Structure formats: C-alpha cells, structure tokens
Amino acid sequence: MEILIRLDNKGFVDHKIRKLNVSVHALSSETALNTNQDTGALQFDKILLKDTDIVPEKLAFFFVRPGVHQIVSHVVPIEGNVSLISIRARFDYDRKGYYPHTSRHIFATVSDNGPCAVPRVLKTFPFSGMVETPDS
C-alpha cells in the first residue's frame, strides 16, 4: 500500500519538516469487532507500521517552499486477510515553538480470492498537512 502525504505551504517562508510520523493499523477479516471501553472507538488488532518517522536520517528534513504542495510517499506491505486499515500521520515544524499537525483516516480494502490475494485500498489518503505562517 502506498501512502501519499501532501504538505501545503500557504505561507511566505520555507518550512523544514524534521519529523513526519506515520502509523498503520489493520483489522483482520476474521477478527471480532472490539471497541475501547473509554471512547467507544474501534480497536485495530494488527500493527502494520508502528509510529515511525519517515524522514530519511541522511536528509534530516523535508522542506516545503512557499506556495508549493509537496507529496511524500511511503510504501507499507499489507496482508491478504485485512478488511480495514487505519492510517495516522503527524508532522512537526518550528514556528516560534512546537506546532504538531495530525490526521487519521480509515480505509476499507477489497482482495481477490486466491492464494496470492493482495488487498487494494479503495480510497486515497486525504491527509493534507497545512504549513502556514501567520501574517504577524
């Protein structure tokens, strides 16, 4: 599965994204649905990608120029018996302190019936991290 993350810089200065964390959780087709007792949220039983910074160490950061949208791609393998996928993304950038941006989305999958069944995600990841600079 390819995750595409779009970072939009609607401000007037370059921004350096030093951390871009992604996690991917899945729900198996044969697993009973369980919810968190406190929040009622659906619990995902498999971790496909633990919370991971996908900015390569040798690059140190991704930069986004003013007025530009930057697409960052990351590929994660998924198994054939997955019915739902939850993707969480977070990035941090410096602007007189720490400013995190987060997004989460749930996807249904469909797979071919066969020994090499590969799930296909039915939607694209809508995360659009806005990198903005205030006028003041």
Side-chain angles (χ1 to χ4, degrees), residues 5-17 61-72 91-95 101 127-135:
I5 299 171
R6 178 177 168 160
L7 301 168
D8 291 316
N9 185 344
K10 296 186 177 188
F12 301 102
V13 298
D14 288 354
H15 282 287
K16 294 179 181 176
I17 309 299
F61 58 86
F62 293 128
F63 68 92
V64 186
R65 298 208 184 274
V68 171
H69 71 265
Q70 180 71 37
I71 303 292
V72 176
F91 77 88
D92 305 330
Y93 70 96
D94 299 324
R95 188 185 77 189
H101 291 267
F127 178 65
S128 179
M130 298 299 182
V131 180
E132 298 186 29
T133 304
D135 294 333

Side-chain angles (χ1 to χ4, degrees), residues 51-106:
D51 191 37
T52 303
D53 183 3
I54 62 171
V55 176
E57 189 175 326
K58 65 182 177 181
L59 294 181
F61 58 86
F62 293 128
F63 68 92
V64 186
R65 298 208 184 274
V68 171
H69 71 265
Q70 180 71 37
I71 303 292
V72 176
S73 173
H74 191 73
V75 177
V76 177
I78 55 177
E79 299 173 6
N81 63 347
V82 170
S83 60
L84 290 175
I85 295 172
S86 172
I87 301 174
R88 293 181 185 146
R90 182 188 86 233
F91 77 88
D92 305 330
Y93 70 96
D94 299 324
R95 188 185 77 189
K96 297 180 184 175
Y98 169 78
Y99 287 85
H101 291 267
T102 61
S103 183
R104 179 179 158 209
H105 198 70
I106 309 294

Side-chain angles (χ1 to χ4, degrees), residues 9-65:
N9 185 344
K10 296 186 177 188
F12 301 102
V13 298
D14 288 354
H15 282 287
K16 294 179 181 176
I17 309 299
R18 298 182 190 283
K19 282 187 173 185
L20 180 55
N21 285 54
V22 176
S23 67
V24 181
H25 295 79
L27 187 65
S28 301
S29 306
E30 58 276 345
T31 302
L33 299 179
N34 295 312
T35 58
N36 180 300
Q37 290 182 344
D38 296 330
T39 64
L42 182 63
Q43 297 289 102
F44 287 79
D45 64 329
K46 290 185 174 187
I47 299 173
L48 301 181
L49 178 67
K50 65 179 183 170
D51 191 37
T52 303
D53 183 3
I54 62 171
V55 176
E57 189 175 326
K58 65 182 177 181
L59 294 181
F61 58 86
F62 293 128
F63 68 92
V64 186
R65 298 208 184 274

